[in-house]
């Protein structure tokens, strides 16, 4: 018998137990074991019914994603689930934890489903660029209805057992111990003479669907699904479920699943799945490193950033003080926080009671001494070293020993900041991304002297406040902004070369970016970039470098906030401005920069290869631990679409040799300053390797 799936009798009920830690994924041994156990159950005259149960923390959480890059070995999951469904004696799935993907598909092939009320069920394949490929697209519409099934599969979001019960996905909720409850349920079936029920026999009520149902559904998901391949494939499967006999529709599901599997999008999204887990692992900070308790937080600076940071803590029940320098600033800050929460309440994403609870956890103060007991203090003041100095010297005098002193700087030297205190081991960078209460990325910047305890505490804290923490080292701009500078640099240079800002932004948006670089510059404030450029000590010696930002700022065009920047604004609508085009032309003439015919392909290459090259330098310098960490930073902090998998994964997808050749082309045109390929890229091209291979070779 299988090592990961066991068979035992409890009276006349067979209990088939999957035990494949950590999440009981459906690896080959599990599929084989299930097939064997179902066969044994079918042949076992003493067993009248069976329970499918899972050991450990969860029911089957899906197919084994690590197997997707290899040829799939028999028996495939669709075969196993049909074998289960065809069994002539009833099988009951007993669900706890998360029955996801292939896990829920297996449960739906069982004849009955029971669950504890803490369980969740879902079909998250879409998040991996896939569709539920083991009959899930056929079974969920039969159990929950077409609309609910589509909503679940297109969002990929799991639903609590109680809702699944209401929707008919789960037959009964079990109080108390699950296995015993499920066995009792199975015994009752036997006593009542109830046999197997096949989900596939349920008729989908096609007649009740409006004629325009699928067309309307496609329209409704268009925004969320923009650029992604899998959602449309899922809709096609459900159309097949409605229109075709079951086994014909299953064949269609299988064919569409294979297309998803073979897509570069799915590869990129699976890469992201593992990258998001890997990023939490710090080789020199072991899991058992001691941690500090964070029970009280203080934020210095109650501006938009400080307020957003404070909300993160209040949202998870951690009291937070917001310190400002005068009453007016403090009131303004608290009003922004309140307005933010009110907006969320209006959208029904928060109840008034929850908002009140959060607001009660945020205490405004003008007094530095009030923060003396805080376990963590996050500075979110003006981005100038002299201001940081003032704040950190003060923190050093008022904060209790052992308090973590963090800076929200987006670019400045954390070691220099740490040196303003007598406790550099307690100083760390916690770089939140605007809007801080929404964006999921937290760049955690370890200084040369930051203690492991402080790093471990902050990595865990990221999870507590529902962020993805990426640990990086000190350099100007860290990982995210440092790689963003060359991207903006190229966008700016192309403006001088005659590429209309709206065209460049459209091309970047069509590639998948949430917004084009010019629109982002206007949103963040051109003055912010200008100031950053001025703070940057090693700025390239190049008069054309981000030239237009300086020019526009000097004309009072600061971006959205001043009603004009690279675009002009009618309300929040960006409108191309001929004045900017004329300015760019004049600057180009002054700098002897020729007007060029730049293709869409060149726009993409210059924007992203410039960024990738900087990423390669960052890896060589050890600023980021892994290429996949960079990808996490970009997908969570910079609006890069998951289906590209981040810049480094994108480079691997394109092929490093192609990236290298294109860089050489631009090097010939522009010289060595920006386009000298990073030595790591040269090395990998020579070895015929990818960033991913380089990373796993080092692990
Ligand atoms: N395959 C392989 N490994 C998996 C896995 C899976 N389906 N799910 C989780 N793991 C691994 C993780 O990589 C991690 O490994 P690590 O410890 O070495 O980093 C470990 O299991 C624990 O995972 P988490 O850290 O994510 O643990 P959590 O407790 O936070 O979350 C979970 C548990 C909710 C189950 C989460 O892991 C998850 O969402 N898993 C993926 C679920 C999923 O997408 N299933 C669908 C798969 S595709 C499919 O089924 C296709 C089918 O339709 C044919």
């Amino acid at each position: 018998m299988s090592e990961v799936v066991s068979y035992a009798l409890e009276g006349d009920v067979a209990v088939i137990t999957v035990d494949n830690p950590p999440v009981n994924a459906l690896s080959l041994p599990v599929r084989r074991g299930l097939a064997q156990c179902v066969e044994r159950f079918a042949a076992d005259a003493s067993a009248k019914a069976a329970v499918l149960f899972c050991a450990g923390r969860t029911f089957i959480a899906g197919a084994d994603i690590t197997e997707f890059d290899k040829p799939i070995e028999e028996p495939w999951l669709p075969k196993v689930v049909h074998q289960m469904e065809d069994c002539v004696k009833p099988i009951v799935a007993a669900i706890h934890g998360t029955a996801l993907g292939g896990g829920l598909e297996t449960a739906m092939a069982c004849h009955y489903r029971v669950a504890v009320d803490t369980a969740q069920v879902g079909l998250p394949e879409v998040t991996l660029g896939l569709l539920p490929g083991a009959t899930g697209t056929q079974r969920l519409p039969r159990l929950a209805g077409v609309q609910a099934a589509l909503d679940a599969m297109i969002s990929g979001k799991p639903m609590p057992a109680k809702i699944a019960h209401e929707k008919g996905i789960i037959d009964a909720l079990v109080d108390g111990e699950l296995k015993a409850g499920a066995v009792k349920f199975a015994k009752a079936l036997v006593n009542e003479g109830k046999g197997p029920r096949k989900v596939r026999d349920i008729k989908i009520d096609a007649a009740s669907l409006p004629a325009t149902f699928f067309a309307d559904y496609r329209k409704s998901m268009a925004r969320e699904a923009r650029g992604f391949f899998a959602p449309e494939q899922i809709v096609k499967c459900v159309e097949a479920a409605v229109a075709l006999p079951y086994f014909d529709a299953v064949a269609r599901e299988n064919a569409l699943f294979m297309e998803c599997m073979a897509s570069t999008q799915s590869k990129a999204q699976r890469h992201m799945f593992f990258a998001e887990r890997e990023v939490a692992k710090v080789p020199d900070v072991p899991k058992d490193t001691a941690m500090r308790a964070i029970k009280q937080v203080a934020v210095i600076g109650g501006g938009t950033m400080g307020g957003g940071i404070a909300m993160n803590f209040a949202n998870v029940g951690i009291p937070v003080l917001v310190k400002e320098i005068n009453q007016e600033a403090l009131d303004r800050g608290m009003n922004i926080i309140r307005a933010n929460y009110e907006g969320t309440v209006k959208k029904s994403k928060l109840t008034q009671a929850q908002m009140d609870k959060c607001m009660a956890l945020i205490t405004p103060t003008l007094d530095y001494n009030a923060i003396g007991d805080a376990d963590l203090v996050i500075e979110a003041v003006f981005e100038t070293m002299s201001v940081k100095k003032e704040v950190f010297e003060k923190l050093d005098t008022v904060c209790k020993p052992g308090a973590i002193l963090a800076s929200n700087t987006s670019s400045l030297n954390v070691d220099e900041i740490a040196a303003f205190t007598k406790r550099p081991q307690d100083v760390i960078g916690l770089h939140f991304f605007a809007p801080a209460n929404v964006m999921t990325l937290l760049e955690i910047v370890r200084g040369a002297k930051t203690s492991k305890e402080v790093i471990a505490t902050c990595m865990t804290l990221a999870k507590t406040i529902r962020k993805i923490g990426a640990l990086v080292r000190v350099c100007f701009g860290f990982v995210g902004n440092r790689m963003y500078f060359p991207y903006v640099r190229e966008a700016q240079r192309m403006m001088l070369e005659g590429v209309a800002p709206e065209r460049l932004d459209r091309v970047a948006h069509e590639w998948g970016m949430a917004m084009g670089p010019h629109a982002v510059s206007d949103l963040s404030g051109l003055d912010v970039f200008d100031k950053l450029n001025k703070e940057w000590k090693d700025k390239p010696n190049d008069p054309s470098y981000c030239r237009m930002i300086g020019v526009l700022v000097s004309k009072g065009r600061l971006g959205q906030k001043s009603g004009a920047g690279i675009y002009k604004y009618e309300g929040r609508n960006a409108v191309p401005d001929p004045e900017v085009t004329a300015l760019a032309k004049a600057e180009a003439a002054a700098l002897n920069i020729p007007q060029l015919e730049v293709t869409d392909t060149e726009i993409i290459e210059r924007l992203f290869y410039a960024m990738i090259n900087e990423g390669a330098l960052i890896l060589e310098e050890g600023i980021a631990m892994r290429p996949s960490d960079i990808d996490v930073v970009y997908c969570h902090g910079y609006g890069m679409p998951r289906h590209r998998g981040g810049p480094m994964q994108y480079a691997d997808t394109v092929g490093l040799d192609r990236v290298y050749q294109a860089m050489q082309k631009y090097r010939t045109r522009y010289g060595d300053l920006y386009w000298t390929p990073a030595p790591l890229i040269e090395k990998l091209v020579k070895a015929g390797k990818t960033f991913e291979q380089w990373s796993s070779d080092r692990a």
Side-chain angles (χ1 to χ4, degrees):
M1 243 322 119
S2 156
E3 278 176 17
V4 287
V5 189
S6 59
Y7 183 93
L9 278 177
E10 291 204 11
D12 55 2
V13 174
V15 177
I16 298 172
T17 305
V18 179
D19 188 1
N20 184 32
V23 297
N24 290 314
L26 287 154
S27 59
L28 178 63
V30 173
R31 299 197 302 277
R32 278 199 183 134
L34 278 175
Q36 284 165 4
C37 285
V38 172
E39 207 178 308
R40 179 165 166 187
F41 164 58
D44 186 349
S46 53
K48 304 274 187 298
V51 163
L52 173 62
F53 177 75
C54 291
R57 68 206 232 206
T58 181
F59 190 79
I60 299 164
D64 185 337
I65 307 166
T66 59
E67 285 184 355
F68 287 172
D69 283 326
K70 310 167 200 156
I72 305 177
E73 284 190 62
E74 288 283 5
W76 286 25
L77 192 54
K79 190 167 164 186
V80 178
V81 298
H82 282 125
Q83 184 197 348
M84 293 175 88
E85 187 173 49
D86 287 336
C87 184
V88 292
K89 294 182 280 184
I91 305 177
V92 179
I95 301 172
H96 74 294
T98 41
L100 299 177
L104 179 57
E105 291 176 300
T106 305
M108 290 192 292
C110 292
H111 308 109
Y112 300 86
R113 285 155 294 281
V114 300
V116 288
D117 67 356
T118 51
Q120 303 216 22
V121 304
L123 293 175
E125 284 86 343
V126 73
T127 62
L128 300 167
L130 297 171
L131 58 85
T135 70
T137 65
Q138 305 305 303
R139 295 182 190 279
L140 198 58
R142 284 175 161 80
L143 283 172
V146 171
Q147 172 88 38
L150 271 171
D151 289 349
M153 292 189 284
I154 297 296
S155 73
K157 287 197 184 117
M159 61 178 92
K162 199 164 157 282
I163 310 249
H165 183 223
E166 281 162 21
K167 292 196 183 298
I169 302 165
I170 285 169
D171 298 294
L173 295 173
V174 172
D175 284 332
E177 215 257 308
L178 175 63
K179 198 197 311 179
V183 169
K184 197 169 149 203
F185 184 93
K187 285 197 167 141
L189 291 177
V190 174
N191 292 340
E192 290 161 26
K194 287 187 179 158
R197 280 179 332 182
K198 293 180 182 173
V199 168
R200 74 174 187 242
D201 289 343
I202 299 172
K203 293 267 162 304
I204 296 178
D205 182 10
S208 68
L209 290 178
T212 57
F213 177 81
F214 286 104
D216 293 343
Y217 200 88
R218 284 187 167 94
K219 265 187 223 146
S220 73
M221 71 175 198
R223 198 152 168 249
E224 197 187 336
R226 181 180 78 91
F228 285 87
F229 180 64
E232 170 59 24
Q233 301 282 93
I234 291 172
V235 177
K236 283 182 185 159
C237 288
V238 178
E239 278 179 323
V242 171
L244 301 179
Y246 173 78
F247 279 106
D248 291 351
V250 167
R252 178 108 178 98
E253 178 195 84
N254 188 262
L256 293 167
F257 179 79
M258 288 306 172
E259 285 177 17
C260 288
M261 266 287 258
S263 68
T264 53
Q265 288 205 357
S266 176
K267 190 158 178 12
Q269 286 173 257
R270 284 181 269 136
H271 162 81
M272 278 312 294
F273 175 84
F274 290 112
E276 284 163 349
R277 279 146 187 88
E278 204 61 20
V279 74
K281 297 171 191 161
V282 186
D284 70 324
V285 181
K287 262 189 176 165
D288 56 0
T289 305
M291 279 196 264
R292 299 185 191 172
I294 305 294
K295 295 195 175 131
Q296 171 72 59
V297 174
V299 178
I300 311 295
T304 314
M305 200 64 193
I309 293 173
M311 289 170 76
N312 285 300
F313 294 96
N315 292 347
V316 297
I318 300 177
V320 53
L321 289 149
V322 176
K323 154 89 180 68
E324 255 300 349
I325 40 174
N326 61 51
Q327 194 61 45
E328 201 192 333
L330 197 54
D331 291 345
R332 198 170 44 233
M334 290 303 288
N335 285 340
I336 295 175
I337 294 175
R338 189 170 295 107
N340 252 325
Y341 276 127
E342 278 166 358
T344 320
V345 171
K346 252 189 213 138
K347 286 184 208 145
S348 304
K349 287 187 179 161
L350 197 73
T351 64
Q352 185 61 47
Q354 285 168 325
M355 166 176 164
D356 295 344
K357 210 168 144 195
C358 290
M359 283 306 294
L361 286 166
I362 306 178
T363 309
T365 182
L366 294 173
D367 181 6
Y368 254 120
N369 292 315
I371 67 166
D373 275 337
D375 304 300
L376 164 70
V377 183
I378 304 172
E379 159 278 307
V381 300
F382 208 59
E383 191 73 347
T384 309
M385 203 44 110
S386 55
V387 183
K388 307 280 187 203
K389 179 171 190 283
E390 208 175 293
V391 171
F392 274 83
E393 281 174 355
K394 185 73 188 171
L395 292 182
D396 203 19
T397 62
V398 297
C399 293
K400 68 178 181 188
I404 297 177
L405 309 183
S407 170
N408 177 51
T409 179
S410 60
S411 59
L412 299 179
N413 189 321
V414 172
D415 290 329
E416 217 175 310
I417 294 175
F420 300 139
T421 73
K422 289 181 216 67
R423 37 175 136 173
Q425 74 283 358
D426 294 336
V427 177
I428 194 162
L430 290 182
H431 178 203
F432 289 80
F433 287 71
N437 53 318
V438 178
M439 297 297 282
T440 45
L441 179 65
L442 181 63
E443 225 178 8
I444 302 177
V445 190
R446 72 191 285 181
K449 294 188 178 157
T450 310
S451 78
K452 291 186 180 177
E453 205 174 292
V454 168
I455 294 171
T457 306
C458 290
M459 292 298 283
T460 301
L461 184 74
K463 270 197 193 141
T464 310
I465 59 172
R466 304 184 200 121
K467 304 257 183 235
I468 290 239
L471 187 68
V472 304
R473 287 188 190 268
V474 174
C475 66
F476 187 75
F478 315 124
V479 168
N481 282 346
R482 177 167 158 191
M483 286 173 68
Y484 201 74
F485 298 148
Y487 172 79
V488 173
R489 177 196 81 213
E490 286 307 306
Q492 283 276 311
R493 170 79 191 201
M494 284 188 260
M495 201 193 304
L496 292 176
E497 289 168 354
V499 179
E502 65 277 15
R503 177 175 161 233
L504 185 131
D505 274 357
R506 178 181 49 75
V507 172
H509 181 72
E510 281 171 4
W511 183 87
M513 295 303 281
M515 289 168 84
H518 294 310
V520 173
S521 298
D522 269 1
L523 182 67
S524 317
L526 297 183
D527 53 328
V528 176
F529 274 92
D530 199 41
K531 216 176 118 333
L532 265 174
N533 282 338
K534 285 180 182 141
E535 284 277 341
W536 188 10
K537 295 186 188 99
D538 306 318
K539 204 173 87 172
N541 182 15
D542 166 19
S544 79
Y545 179 83
C546 290
R547 175 79 163 207
M548 287 303 292
I549 290 183
V551 169
L552 294 171
V553 169
S554 71
K555 297 197 174 306
R557 300 183 66 122
L558 308 184
Q560 270 196 31
K561 61 184 163 193
S562 70
I566 296 171
Y567 297 98
K568 61 183 172 193
Y569 289 86
E570 290 168 1
R572 287 179 72 185
N573 273 348
V575 181
D577 191 343
E579 198 183 317
V580 174
T581 315
L583 276 172
K585 221 171 176 171
E587 287 301 316
L591 292 164
N592 268 330
I593 291 176
Q595 301 296 287
L596 299 179
E597 288 293 327
V598 179
T599 63
D600 289 359
T601 306
E602 178 170 331
I603 291 177
I604 294 300
E605 286 179 352
R606 285 174 62 186
L607 290 178
F608 294 104
Y609 295 180
M611 183 188 264
I612 289 161
N613 201 42
E614 199 66 37
L617 293 171
I618 278 173
L619 287 170
E620 280 175 308
E621 292 167 25
I623 303 292
M625 288 186 285
R626 304 166 266 252
S628 58
D629 288 3
I630 296 179
D631 292 333
V632 168
V633 166
Y634 265 82
C635 287
H636 284 272
Y638 291 82
M640 196 171 264
R642 293 176 77 79
H643 64 72
R644 296 288 184 187
M648 309 321 272
Q649 170 66 22
Y650 177 62
D652 282 351
T653 305
V654 171
L656 280 182
D657 49 345
R658 279 184 56 195
V659 173
Y660 180 80
Q661 278 160 21
M663 289 190 66
Q664 292 294 19
K665 183 175 73 188
Y666 299 124
R667 189 182 190 178
T668 308
R669 195 196 296 167
Y670 295 106
D672 293 347
L673 178 61
Y674 301 132
W675 289 105
T676 303
L680 178 60
I681 294 186
E682 296 239 10
K683 189 172 103 181
L684 292 178
V685 169
K686 271 199 197 112
K689 288 197 168 172
T690 60
F691 283 123
E692 194 175 350
Q693 285 164 337
W694 174 77
S695 186
S696 50
D697 285 352
R698 289 184 340 145

